[in-house]
Amino acid sequence: MTPLGIDEAKERLLSMIGETVYVHLEVNPEAYIRNVACRLKDVAIMGDHAYRVHLVFTEPAVCCRSRA
């Protein structure tokens, strides 16, 4: 694996806007969300060396919606 620069990472993420992506998020060893299908709506990357990535999603998987 080779590290991505901020420009390459942003370009790759921007190319996925409007696409269905699968999200895996770990908060700690006991709390995680795995393989949630969402549509990528927006992307922002901030930082000089260690990057912060802001992703906005729409259309979460049915399991995340209200079942009323």
Side-chain angles (χ1 to χ4, degrees):
M1 268 186 157
T2 57
L4 296 177
I6 192 168
D7 293 331
E8 184 178 358
K10 190 172 188 176
E11 183 178 310
R12 287 186 185 194
L13 288 169
L14 287 170
S15 73
M16 291 186 243
I17 288 179
E19 300 291 325
T20 298
V21 295
Y22 295 86
V23 178
H24 180 100
L25 173 68
E26 291 189 31
V27 179
N28 60 44
E30 292 85 31
Y32 61 88
I33 298 171
R34 184 179 299 163
N35 298 328
V36 176
C38 300
R39 191 169 303 273
L40 186 59
K41 182 178 179 181
D42 197 14
V43 172
I45 301 179
M46 296 139 290
D48 295 324
H49 181 67
Y51 308 120
R52 290 176 39 204
V53 178
H54 176 80
L55 304 172
V56 178
F57 300 104
T58 60
E59 300 180 24
V62 173
C63 65
C64 299
R65 292 183 181 156
S66 171
R67 296 179 187 217

